[in-house]
Amino acid sequence: MAARGTARRGAGGGSARGPDPQEEPPPPLQAVLVADSFNRRFFPISKDRPRALLPMANVAMIDYTLEFLTATGVEETFVFCCWKSAEIKEHLQKSKWCRHTSPNTVRFVTSDLYRSLGDVLRDVDAKSLVRSDFILVTGDVVSNFNISKALEEHKLRRKMEKNVSVMTMIFKESSPGHHARCKEDDIVIAMDSATNRVLHYQRTQGLKRFRFPMSLFQNSIENVEVRHDLLDCHISICSPQVAELFTDNFDYQTRDDFVRGLLVNEEVLGNQIHMHVTTEEYGAHICNLLMYEAVCSDIIRRWVYPLTPEMNFTDDKNQSYTHSKHNIYRGVDVSLGHGSVLEENVLIGQGTVIGSNCCITNSVIGQNCRIGDRVTLDGAVLWDRVHIADNVEIHHSVICDEAEVKEKVKLKPRCVLSSQVVVGPGITLSEGTVISLHPPDEEEEDDDQFSDDSGVNKESKVKLKGYNKKDVGSEGRGYLWKADDKNEEDEEEQRQSLWGPAMHSEEESESDSDLSMGSEEPDSRAASPQLDDIKVFQNEVLGTLQRGEEENISCDNLVLEINSLKYAYNIGLKEMMQVLSKVILEFPLQQLDANLDSQTYFSALVPLLKNWTPLFKNYIKRASDHLNALCAIEEFFLEHDSLCTSIAKVLMTFYQLEILEEDVILNWFSLRDTSDKGKQLRKNQRLQKFIQWLEEAEEESSDGDQD
Amino acid sequence: MPGAAERGSELSEQIEAFAARLRRGGERPRSEDTARQTLSLLRKIVGNGRWSRAGELMDLIRTEGQRMTAAQPSETTVGNMVRRVLKVIREEYGRLHGRSEESDQQESLHKLLTSGGLSEDFRTPYPSLRANVIEAINEMLIELEGTTDNIAMQALEHIHSNEVIMTIGYSRTVEAFLKEAARKRKFQVIVAECAPFCQGHEMAVRLSKENIETTVMSDAAIFAVMSRVNKVIIGTKTILANGALIAVSGTHTLALAAKHHSTPLIVCAPMFKLSPQFPNEEDSFHKFVSPQEVLPFTEGEILAKINVHCPVFDYVPPELITLFISNIGGNAPSYIYRLMSELYHPDDYEL
């Protein structure tokens, strides 16, 4: 196969084949396609089928990605698979991409050891697969972008300034509120408008305020643009250096780590990242079901032209559609019953039979489905061989292969029925119900199959014996994964992790939904997987300090480690200060016993504080830092009532060690906007004495000055 | 025979690449280029394909032709060229078979009715057939070269001094036509911009470079301006079997306005755009592209609530058209059926 491929290449090279402008003798354009998401956002759907093969308007996502690469002139693609690699391989080998006439040679690299994008790129470097600039995409990108212009810019930049720019990221312009804008991928970017250089890259994570480093505006750059109207397509043009950088920095897990690391170390390493913004073409990365739905409807509405269903770009005989008015696409042998109406934006796969008096709008129906009479489908996505009985109503839900919905079932928005599930008859599934044949707690067994951990619910539920008839109906088959129950926080979070942050939950904090950034090491994950970044960071700091204590590591090294953690988790200075104070105050509790009395607690704490004074001094520099530290101390003592009495002593120690200054302590004490508890704390006798002492001391010193 | 196998795979790769290019259809290819590429691919199939009898060759061409036309049904030129080549094969076979030219022509209704049973089997192998067919295809390629010039040469018969001509969008044939006329005569051209792609702007720039007095206007002004216009001259993508047009969207408006004011509507189109298909075949001609041009993606929230369509072509019924100017002369829409039977064999209308 390979030999033939090269022979063909040699023969075909001379003739005018294809429009590729990259045809000049220098190395062919290569691409690295990561056919694994390294997270569980699509659980339980992706339990049966890898994410790259999920059908998007009846065509597997990876086909869109490959078509995009081929259309843009890529001649060699490395497909990296991990989870269910055999299935992906089988799918691709059957598709047109592996025919010898394909202008894009697809090569597979499989390993179960990949845990993240970082591992893949390290492997790219180790095997030295890429020879020149390459395109990095994941297997769930849908785009009709023509990369050649961005590629030219990239190459020009690299020629002008030898190897300074290592990566060009592709963004699509789309204003906030656009339905294809993924909340969790929302980013704020600061760029140099003259050179398109990325200066600052930050995920919004639902934050309302953003901090930009001052240095951004103090540099000699004339125009700094801060943009929030960009959609990250997750397409990047990388130079071979990118793979090397991943090897050098073994802690880079995701592209975000890489971008952040590069921007932070820009002055040291001298590497830059650039961006390319497209307005015309389409590009989207499907990271959750909400995006899945949005991109599906964009494909049907022809935004991704020419990747529309009737173009049949996969050259699959079963995938020929006709396109008629109001974006109705019909496959071969579709039968539509008497009185049934296809309103608009409907795609019906080959061999599907629809009964009479149905009303279907904005839906995708797979191949060989059976749909009964008087069925209403609105925004439904049905995969292949789904059976729907009479009088069913389905709104904005996903129903996977071979699932069955019995009579008079009603599916409220955002339900998911994974493959072969049966529900009904006569029940109503509430909003956000997810039903799968896999029991929900089974997931821990194959935990190691995944490298990332979003939304793993380890608070194990009671293993269901048999199917719960209440959830799935009297003839139903399947386990309820989660219902939309607002009382239970975890479940809410899980629902979000599948559908992504819901439309209506804008005001909610979304820190939980972006765990994929966290990329924790396995051990911290095992402890409590649902932590947000700050908590994970706190754990890490605690671990570091513990080690420092045990192994007697010098403070300088500790500072170094904590600094690197700070960058890894993108923690602000303020949070950093709070976390550090809290961790140190909690330290004796962790070490000895949770129920210490204040006396022993204090005596355990003092040597620690003395040891780590340089640590504090390193971080506490400005007045606001002092205040932050004090707030954290206050918070800690509020949480641990029994230790309240020692607060004065602790503060005294801080004061004596010259970590905290008296002005700030006084300032803090006089803060008005505190809770009742805080006020009570301030009434603590010893504390008041301490403050009094401080005040006197100050007066004395000022008196002294006057003399 | 590894050499033949390799040639075969190379050819199939080229066809694949051609089909893929049609499918992606990014850069609005010229119909003439498409026709030429199709013909040279077909010539390669004739030259390198494995066949010994005319019937086998025709099957081969038909299957490959279907593949190429299916890639982009709105590019009718591809199908037309395939049909032309099939007709050439029939003729060459007939000549070798020793049949006279005339008997092939279906002249009377009587013959048409009785000829059904007489269809030939194309079984007899003729070694010289390959060379003859390739020769005929080469002739067609040469003919293609001159089409635009042939049409432009007729310009002086249609455009007179001080006339006001209206056109829409950008057509290379019309551009050549007007430029040719401008060499001898002074006249004014009004170009409708043809939103949302606004090819009219490019047309206007090109014409004004030749010192033709040119005005660009928005499509909405077509009706208002029509009363001042002497002639409307447009290009088209396809001429259908009933004499109707598949032309760039906006043309129907223009044609209706011209009809209302009884302004003659002249269509400049080379013969290879003549397609034996009828407009009743749903979905084969229309082409909807990304709505980006109509309502940009950046619009945000509103896009989730509305449907935006961006059709590329209009259907213009034959009764709105006055005259076709092709490379073989001027014809009325009612005469199209006749041209059709000259160009294609009735058995090939359906590929």
Side-chain angles (χ1 to χ4, degrees):
Chain A
M1 171 73 206
R4 241 171 102 194
T6 49
R8 174 183 59 78
R9 188 169 295 282
S15 62
R17 179 175 61 90
D20 316 346
Q22 285 86 30
E23 272 268 300
E24 319 111 65
L29 186 57
Q30 294 173 308
V32 170
L33 194 161
V34 185
D36 201 321
S37 53
F38 304 111
N39 65 36
R40 289 167 172 248
R41 301 308 300 277
F42 274 81
F43 255 41
I45 302 174
S46 58
K47 249 181 136 67
D48 306 306
R49 224 197 246 214
R51 190 200 286 197
L53 294 190
L54 300 187
M56 173 69 88
N58 293 349
V59 175
M61 285 191 206
I62 198 167
D63 287 331
Y64 285 97
T65 315
L66 278 169
E67 170 67 19
F68 151 65
L69 291 174
T70 313
T72 204
V74 172
E75 293 184 40
E76 190 175 22
T77 307
F78 296 99
V79 179
F80 286 81
C81 339
C82 173
W83 169 240
K84 301 238 179 199
S85 52
E87 278 179 41
I88 297 178
K89 215 166 161 176
E90 197 194 327
H91 171 87
L92 289 183
Q93 266 160 357
K94 272 195 276 177
S95 72
K96 78 164 187 178
W97 313 112
C98 285
R99 284 185 215 155
H100 64 275
T101 53
S102 164
N104 183 1
T105 319
V106 174
R107 300 187 201 285
F108 297 96
V109 186
T110 30
S111 164
D112 291 337
L113 298 175
Y114 299 138
R115 285 281 177 278
S116 66
L117 181 74
D119 292 340
V120 169
L121 282 172
R122 281 185 272 280
D123 204 38
V124 168
D125 187 40
K127 292 182 178 151
S128 51
L129 294 175
V130 292
R131 275 155 284 168
S132 71
D133 296 337
F134 65 99
I135 299 171
L136 175 67
V137 286
T138 47
D140 43 15
V141 167
V142 173
S143 175
N144 59 0
F145 182 64
N146 190 344
I147 209 118
S148 51
K149 189 159 168 268
L151 190 72
E152 247 166 57
E153 284 174 14
H154 178 82
K155 284 195 168 143
L156 192 72
R157 268 196 295 268
R158 283 178 66 74
K159 216 186 252 170
M160 299 282 280
E161 276 183 275
K162 199 82 189 133
N163 297 345
V164 168
S165 171
V166 290
M167 184 156 103
T168 303
M169 297 162 86
I170 311 287
F171 293 98
K172 161 132 192 73
E173 214 170 79
S174 79
S175 46
H178 196 284
H179 67 113
R181 240 179 109 103
C182 178
K183 286 266 155 41
E184 61 200 72
D185 253 358
D186 228 19
I187 42 169
V188 171
I189 278 191
M191 62 182 270
D192 177 353
S193 26
T195 58
N196 282 340
R197 203 177 111 202
V198 179
L199 302 172
H200 184 78
Y201 175 93
Q202 190 181 357
R203 282 175 188 259
T204 59
Q205 296 174 281
L207 295 174
K208 292 270 186 288
R209 284 162 174 233
F210 301 97
R211 280 167 181 277
F212 296 97
M214 271 299 278
S215 55
L216 213 71
F217 307 100
Q218 286 168 335
N219 281 347
S220 53
I221 299 160
E222 275 193 8
N223 291 317
V224 177
E225 256 179 83
V226 177
R227 301 187 68 160
H228 182 52
D229 64 338
L230 296 176
L231 187 78
D232 191 349
C233 302
H234 284 251
I235 301 166
S236 19
I237 305 171
C238 305
S239 56
Q241 262 168 297
V242 171
E244 288 163 24
L245 281 167
F246 265 95
T247 312
D248 294 346
N249 298 278
F250 51 86
D251 55 332
Y252 288 171
Q253 301 286 321
T254 61
R255 202 183 65 158
D256 278 8
D257 289 345
F258 174 77
V259 172
R260 206 178 299 130
L262 223 60
L263 290 179
V264 165
N265 297 324
E266 191 175 304
E267 271 147 42
V268 187
L269 299 170
N271 291 323
Q272 296 179 347
I273 296 177
H274 287 81
M275 59 196 271
H276 179 91
V277 179
T278 165
T279 47
E280 306 257 307
E281 288 111 328
Y282 189 88
H285 165 242
I286 295 117
C287 51
N288 55 35
L289 273 183
L290 216 61
M291 275 302 277
Y292 176 83
E293 218 187 6
V295 175
C296 242
S297 89
D298 280 346
I299 290 172
I300 303 274
R301 289 167 195 226
R302 310 184 71 79
W303 281 101
V304 203
Y305 183 87
L307 300 187
T308 47
E310 92 281 4
M311 285 297 171
N312 190 12
F313 61 86
T314 50
D315 254 349
D316 186 344
K317 277 201 196 72
N318 301 330
Q319 292 284 359
S320 65
Y321 294 92
T322 61
H323 172 227
S324 35
K325 254 188 243 172
H326 304 300
N327 289 339
I328 309 281
Y329 304 85
R330 255 173 303 181
V332 186
D333 295 330
V334 168
S335 110
L336 192 65
H338 180 79
S340 287
V341 185
L342 306 177
E343 280 183 8
E344 53 182 15
N345 303 327
V346 178
L347 172 71
I348 303 177
Q350 187 195 37
T352 289
V353 177
I354 297 173
S356 60
N357 296 316
C358 295
C359 179
I360 301 173
T361 169
N362 296 322
S363 298
V364 174
I365 300 172
Q367 295 174 5
N368 300 315
C369 293
R370 294 274 171 281
I371 295 175
D373 302 340
R374 295 173 295 283
V375 172
T376 306
L377 299 180
D378 175 19
V381 179
L382 271 55
W383 295 4
D384 296 347
R385 298 178 297 283
V386 172
H387 281 241
I388 302 217
D390 301 348
N391 298 314
V392 171
E393 237 181 88
I394 298 174
H395 299 277
H396 295 280
S397 296
V398 177
I399 299 176
C400 304
D401 287 343
E402 291 166 42
E404 199 176 338
V405 181
K406 302 253 182 202
E407 285 92 13
K408 292 185 184 155
V409 173
K410 199 171 166 194
L411 265 67
K412 294 259 181 77
R414 284 183 283 114
C415 288
V416 176
L417 303 184
S418 83
S419 60
Q420 293 172 324
V421 163
V422 182
V423 288
I427 60 164
T428 299
L429 297 183
S430 58
E431 212 168 291
T433 311
V434 178
I435 295 177
S436 166
L437 272 193
H438 302 277
D441 44 356
E442 189 190 284
E443 67 195 77
E444 274 145 57
E445 291 156 24
D446 52 15
D447 198 22
D448 51 344
Q449 299 279 5
F450 277 82
S451 18
D452 213 333
D453 56 304
S454 298
V456 181
N457 189 356
K458 289 270 173 86
E459 271 144 58
S460 57
K461 297 172 180 173
V462 188
K463 184 139 188 163
L464 298 170
K465 299 258 166 30
Y467 305 119
N468 191 342
K469 299 290 180 215
K470 225 172 74 193
D471 294 335
V472 294
S474 54
E475 293 167 34
R477 289 197 301 140
Y479 299 102
L480 183 72
W481 269 53
K482 49 235 155 185
D484 193 36
D485 190 350
K486 303 265 177 196
N487 300 331
E488 287 178 62
E489 276 281 292
D490 298 341
E491 297 200 330
E492 176 74 359
E493 279 167 19
Q494 273 227 338
R495 181 182 59 76
Q496 284 199 355
S497 68
L498 191 60
W499 277 98
M503 293 289 199
H504 57 78
S505 63
E506 262 163 271
E507 66 285 348
E508 287 173 28
S509 138
E510 279 157 13
S511 53
D512 61 281
S513 61
D514 203 33
L515 273 172
S516 50
M517 274 181 57
S519 60
E520 309 86 292
E521 277 131 46
D523 52 355
S524 73
R525 166 155 48 109
S528 42
Q530 300 227 341
L531 296 181
D532 58 13
D533 273 1
I534 293 191
K535 283 206 181 133
V536 176
F537 174 67
Q538 189 176 335
N539 279 354
E540 294 275 359
V541 171
L542 184 67
T544 310
L545 290 181
Q546 268 168 351
R547 225 156 9 88
E549 173 71 6
E550 282 157 19
E551 297 167 21
N552 225 347
I553 297 170
S554 84
C555 270
D556 283 348
N557 289 342
L558 283 180
V559 167
L560 220 60
E561 278 195 38
I562 292 175
N563 262 343
S564 65
L565 285 173
K566 175 172 165 261
Y567 289 126
Y569 295 102
N570 194 17
I571 303 290
L573 211 66
K574 184 180 163 202
E575 286 85 13
M576 162 77 216
M577 204 52 246
Q578 287 177 341
V579 166
L580 188 67
S581 319
K582 224 164 144 187
V583 165
I584 293 186
L585 289 175
E586 269 172 14
F587 203 78
L589 300 183
Q590 299 270 357
Q591 290 292 78
L592 303 168
D593 181 6
N595 304 318
L596 285 177
D597 59 359
S598 56
Q599 206 62 45
T600 36
Y601 168 76
F602 181 65
S603 53
L605 185 66
V606 170
L608 290 176
L609 282 182
K610 276 187 183 147
N611 265 345
W612 288 328
T613 310
L615 208 62
F616 276 106
K617 286 200 172 152
N618 184 56
Y619 291 108
I620 305 185
K621 283 181 180 144
R622 292 165 302 156
S624 60
D625 302 336
H626 289 249
L627 209 60
N628 283 335
L630 275 169
C631 289
I633 295 169
E634 179 185 344
E635 214 171 280
F636 170 77
F637 281 106
L638 285 177
E639 274 171 31
H640 302 270
D641 280 340
S642 58
L643 305 176
C644 247
T645 43
S646 55
I647 182 168
K649 282 187 192 166
V650 172
L651 284 181
M652 186 71 183
T653 325
F654 271 105
Y655 175 66
Q656 280 169 345
L657 291 170
E658 294 179 352
I659 298 171
L660 297 176
E661 283 174 19
E662 56 185 50
D663 308 359
V664 186
I665 298 179
L666 291 175
N667 243 345
W668 163 77
F669 188 75
S670 56
L671 272 184
R672 306 239 162 233
D673 53 338
T674 45
S675 58
D676 293 349
K677 267 185 147 183
K679 276 178 193 148
Q680 282 212 323
L681 186 79
R682 283 181 174 66
K683 279 183 192 143
N684 183 323
Q685 281 236 316
R686 289 169 197 234
L687 189 58
Q688 282 189 337
K689 259 188 204 162
F690 169 65
I691 296 295
Q692 216 176 345
W693 178 80
L694 270 182
E695 276 168 352
E696 278 165 16
E698 192 181 29
E699 270 166 30
E700 264 172 35
S701 68
S702 60
D703 286 351
D705 286 351
Q706 276 172 2
D707 292 343
Chain B
M1 274 208 341
E6 197 173 287
R7 261 210 317 261
S9 83
E10 188 190 328
L11 181 63
S12 123
E13 186 187 337
Q14 281 172 14
I15 293 171
E16 192 83 1
F18 180 65
R21 208 152 62 237
L22 283 177
R23 201 171 285 145
R24 281 163 205 148
E27 67 287 324
R28 298 175 180 282
R30 263 184 92 172
S31 295
E32 198 184 317
D33 294 339
T34 315
R36 196 174 301 124
Q37 283 165 9
T38 316
L39 271 183
S40 42
L41 273 179
L42 291 174
R43 188 175 57 185
K44 275 189 190 131
I45 295 172
V46 175
N48 301 340
R50 252 185 249 165
W51 58 276
S52 49
R53 297 183 180 88
E56 290 169 17
L57 175 62
M58 283 162 72
D59 286 340
L60 195 68
I61 297 247
R62 214 170 269 138
T63 44
E64 294 300 339
Q66 272 165 359
R67 224 169 100 196
M68 289 191 277
T69 42
Q72 183 64 272
S74 71
E75 282 298 327
T76 44
T77 319
V78 179
N80 297 344
M81 287 298 121
V82 174
R83 291 185 186 96
R84 287 280 286 274
V85 169
L86 284 173
K87 163 107 171 163
V88 160
I89 298 167
R90 281 172 203 278
E91 277 173 5
E92 293 299 328
Y93 179 82
R95 195 173 298 140
L96 291 168
H97 210 59
R99 199 155 29 81
S100 67
E101 283 285 332
E102 302 92 65
S103 69
D104 191 41
Q105 299 276 340
Q106 296 173 335
E107 276 169 352
S108 69
L109 189 63
H110 173 74
K111 264 192 184 169
L112 230 155
L113 284 169
T114 51
S115 66
L118 294 172
S119 65
E120 299 177 64
D121 54 2
F122 299 103
R123 289 250 183 91
T124 330
Y126 291 105
S128 59
L129 184 61
R130 196 183 293 255
N132 286 359
V133 171
I134 288 177
E135 186 59 32
I137 294 178
N138 283 340
E139 272 170 30
M140 278 163 71
L141 277 169
I142 292 166
E143 183 197 321
L144 271 184
E145 299 281 319
T147 44
T148 315
D149 291 341
N150 285 340
I151 293 172
M153 257 154 47
Q154 304 166 49
L156 290 177
E157 297 164 26
H158 297 280
I159 299 177
H160 307 292
S161 285
N162 297 321
E163 274 190 331
V164 180
I165 310 281
M166 186 188 273
T167 185
I168 188 168
Y170 176 48
S171 153
R172 285 183 181 82
T173 321
V174 174
E175 184 197 346
F177 193 80
L178 294 175
K179 279 182 183 170
E180 177 67 29
R183 282 173 49 199
K184 290 259 171 66
R185 303 208 167 116
K186 264 267 178 267
F187 55 94
Q188 194 193 340
V189 177
I190 299 173
V191 185
E193 64 174 0
C194 199
F197 297 102
C198 297
Q199 305 102 312
H201 297 177
E202 195 190 342
M203 179 76 156
V205 169
R206 281 165 185 257
L207 290 179
S208 57
K209 271 187 193 148
E210 297 288 313
N211 289 325
I212 300 174
E213 196 184 335
T214 313
T215 315
V216 188
M217 57 165 202
S218 78
D219 299 339
I222 288 176
F223 189 81
V225 175
M226 189 56 81
S227 56
R228 294 172 47 207
V229 174
N230 296 102
K231 266 186 199 97
V232 178
I233 299 178
I234 55 168
T236 182
K237 184 79 189 169
T238 302
I239 305 169
L240 295 178
N242 61 348
L245 302 183
I246 299 290
V248 68
S249 61
T251 313
H252 195 192
T253 326
L254 182 76
L256 283 171
K259 188 79 183 172
H260 184 88
H261 290 281
S262 298
T263 313
L265 181 89
I266 297 173
V267 180
C268 295
M271 285 314 285
F272 61 78
K273 288 192 176 176
L274 188 59
S275 162
Q277 289 155 292
F278 282 88
N280 50 2
E281 291 156 47
E282 197 190 6
D283 76 69
S284 45
F285 302 114
H286 63 200
K287 178 170 163 189
F288 285 87
V289 296
S290 162
Q292 167 73 33
E293 298 290 336
V294 181
L295 193 69
F297 192 75
T298 42
E299 281 301 319
E301 267 169 274
I302 186 94
L303 285 177
K305 296 167 196 148
I306 53 168
N307 280 316
V308 194
H309 298 281
C310 184
V312 176
F313 299 123
D314 253 357
Y315 170 74
V316 184
E319 55 270 22
L320 301 181
I321 296 155
T322 318
L323 190 70
F324 285 105
I325 300 177
S326 72
N327 44 330
I328 53 170
N331 291 301
S334 53
Y335 196 66
I336 291 294
Y337 86 98
R338 178 72 209 176
L339 295 173
M340 199 77 68
S341 65
E342 263 173 35
L343 281 175
Y344 312 114
H345 193 274
D347 289 354
D348 299 329
Y349 284 0
E350 278 296 304
L351 267 183

